[in-house]
Amino acid sequence: MLNAPPPFTIDSQHLYLEITQSPEAQEQAYSTAGACQRGWINKKCLQAFLPWFQEEIAPTARVYPNSAALPSFWEVVNGTAITFDRDRLVLIPTLAMDDDELRVPQEWVDIPEWVADYYVAIQVNPDDGWMKIFGYTTHQILKTKGVYDPGDRTYSLESEDLISNINVLWVTRQLNDPEALRAQIAPLDPITKTQAENLLERLGHPDVKFPRLGVPFSLWGALLAHSGWRKKLYELRQGLLIQWSIPQWLQTGVANLAQQWGWEKREFVVVPARMRSAETFFGLSREIIVAEHTYELRVFPKSASEDYVWRFELRSTTPSGQIPAGFKLRLLTEDLQAFENNEDTATTPVDMLYLEVILELGEGLVWEIEPAPEDYDWEILRF
């Protein structure tokens, strides 16, 4: 847990936190000046707010879905999500000095996978090194009282309709306030792989300054709801064409972005059935955490001579550890469709779960595990 910056007082109604003013080395790349500023302000806001929130209100609070995913959000939309206990809040920072309203991008309100319970309005003053939390609201209030602006696809709420003291959030949760936090929203129709590819080709160029306004929201929202496609959009806008190719990782090493997600190249020793000698070859591996226990997901060709039959394995990292009953390892197509023999379930504790698939060159797969791993986010592995 990071050290929380001390709050200080300018007025008695609002919380003020210090932010660092100095630029940091190795800032994340973004495609436009606007996205760069958006990434910077959201990062500074998160660095100040999360440690304070962990210390004062919710020790279990963490970034949603994980820190590695944040640039793919900030490339196209303002806001940062934090989960705590069973709730989610979104920080909405602004550089505007008139804190007369909270303005929330539609993505955080109408994409079911992104919806939060609370939305926190934050005014950032980088010149003087502070940020002011000038209020918060709930999804229910934002949807019922907020004004939707189709021009910039935002929901706005006047400051007088916000709860100005962030500590009230802690009090209401302690009292188990039964207020309905989330309003009902309509699901977004899924889009096909072909539609997604067309949208990515159209919106993946950095010359498109406002991709979130470039197509109808029903298409845009469905594209972002699939985190594998959201990551692909970010990569295309950075000019990174092939980042998630398993064969390429085995040949030249794991791409930098994939390393941030925990993937590494490893040497495996496998004894094929009915053979006395072991085979040694390279595959890919990443550690995942489920219910505070660590497991390893492996991906490798079935044999050194075959590059079209691929094996996925889930193992415990603990010596002699097993996969608990009820765990599932599942593979889906790039557009999240099931296929024959795409799932392995542990009906009793087992040494491993595994799946073998025959894949065509360039085909993409998405892996899932139940229960869901900590920090899980869909990713498309291409073969």
Side-chain angles (χ1 to χ4, degrees), residues 2 124 129 164 192 275 278 289 360:
L2 301 172
V124 179
S164 60
T192 66
M275 291 183 65
I289 298 175
E360 297 180 357

Side-chain angles (χ1 to χ4, degrees), residues 117-165:
D117 302 279
Y118 304 99
Y119 297 84
V120 182
I122 299 179
Q123 181 188 78
V124 179
N125 187 329
D127 295 333
D128 294 332
W130 54 258
M131 69 181 213
K132 168 187 175 183
I133 300 173
F134 66 86
Y136 76 91
T137 191
T138 67
H139 183 263
Q140 173 75 29
I141 294 174
L142 195 58
K143 282 291 286 186
T144 55
K145 289 188 177 181
V147 177
Y148 178 69
D149 183 348
D152 63 0
R153 292 183 183 169
T154 59
Y155 288 86
S156 62
L157 197 65
E158 298 294 329
S159 58
E160 60 200 40
D161 292 319
L162 302 176
I163 300 170
S164 60
N165 189 340

Side-chain angles (χ1 to χ4, degrees), residues 273-324:
R274 298 184 298 277
M275 291 183 65
R276 295 181 179 180
S277 60
E279 282 190 293
T280 301
F281 53 92
F282 286 100
L284 285 307
S285 166
R286 65 169 290 178
E287 288 191 351
I288 61 174
I289 298 175
V290 181
E292 300 182 353
H293 292 277
T294 305
Y295 302 89
E296 181 189 17
L297 178 65
R298 297 179 174 182
V299 183
F300 52 90
K302 187 177 179 181
S303 73
S305 60
E306 296 180 359
D307 58 1
Y308 57 90
V309 181
W310 293 85
R311 183 178 173 99
F312 288 70
E313 287 184 359
L314 180 67
R315 297 171 173 262
S316 172
T317 58
T318 304
S320 302
Q322 290 189 304
I323 305 297

Side-chain angles (χ1 to χ4, degrees), residues 165-237:
N165 189 340
I166 187 68
N167 289 296
V168 173
L169 187 152
W170 180 86
V171 174
T172 57
R173 294 183 71 252
Q174 291 297 309
L175 296 175
N176 295 316
D177 193 322
E179 66 175 323
L181 298 177
R182 298 191 184 188
Q184 292 292 323
I185 59 172
L188 295 172
D189 292 332
I191 56 176
T192 66
K193 178 184 174 184
T194 299
Q195 285 178 301
E197 289 172 345
N198 291 337
L199 289 170
L200 290 169
E201 182 177 3
R202 177 177 173 182
L203 304 175
H205 294 283
D207 291 342
V208 181
K209 301 301 182 186
F210 303 102
R212 62 182 298 269
L213 304 178
V215 294
F217 181 79
S218 58
L219 296 176
W220 171 250
L223 184 73
L224 291 193
H226 188 320
S227 51
W229 289 336
R230 187 196 70 235
K231 294 173 195 172
K232 182 65 174 178
L233 177 64
Y234 171 76
E235 292 157 10
L236 288 172
R237 293 181 64 81

Side-chain angles (χ1 to χ4, degrees), residues 53 62-65 73 80-91 107-108 111-120 137-139 169 173 181-182:
F53 193 67
R62 58 186 179 85
V63 174
Y64 173 83
F73 285 86
T80 307
I82 293 173
T83 58
F84 58 105
D85 302 330
R86 296 182 179 180
D87 295 331
R88 184 186 301 168
L89 63 79
V90 175
L91 306 177
E107 290 87 339
W108 293 114
I111 297 178
E113 292 82 355
W114 289 32
V115 167
D117 302 279
Y118 304 99
Y119 297 84
V120 182
T137 191
T138 67
H139 183 263
L169 187 152
R173 294 183 71 252
L181 298 177
R182 298 191 184 188

Side-chain angles (χ1 to χ4, degrees), residues 234-358:
Y234 171 76
E235 292 157 10
L236 288 172
R237 293 181 64 81
Q238 311 311 308
L240 305 172
L241 300 181
I242 302 177
Q243 288 291 300
W244 295 87
S245 168
I246 298 297
Q248 184 167 320
W249 290 356
L250 292 178
Q251 290 181 5
T252 62
V254 179
N256 289 336
L257 284 176
Q259 290 179 31
Q260 295 176 27
W261 291 84
W263 285 103
E264 63 177 354
K265 183 177 176 181
R266 282 194 53 197
E267 189 174 50
F268 296 125
V269 178
V270 178
V271 181
R274 298 184 298 277
M275 291 183 65
R276 295 181 179 180
S277 60
E279 282 190 293
T280 301
F281 53 92
F282 286 100
L284 285 307
S285 166
R286 65 169 290 178
E287 288 191 351
I288 61 174
I289 298 175
V290 181
E292 300 182 353
H293 292 277
T294 305
Y295 302 89
E296 181 189 17
L297 178 65
R298 297 179 174 182
V299 183
F300 52 90
K302 187 177 179 181
S303 73
S305 60
E306 296 180 359
D307 58 1
Y308 57 90
V309 181
W310 293 85
R311 183 178 173 99
F312 288 70
E313 287 184 359
L314 180 67
R315 297 171 173 262
S316 172
T317 58
T318 304
S320 302
Q322 290 189 304
I323 305 297
F327 271 45
K328 296 180 181 181
L329 173 63
R330 180 186 303 116
L331 299 177
L332 302 171
T333 63
E334 185 173 343
D335 52 355
L336 308 180
Q337 300 301 306
F339 53 90
E340 188 176 0
N341 299 322
N342 74 316
E343 184 175 290
D344 190 16
T345 302
T347 55
T348 61
V350 294
D351 293 334
M352 76 174 79
L353 293 175
Y354 74 93
L355 293 165
E356 293 181 352
V357 288
I358 300 175

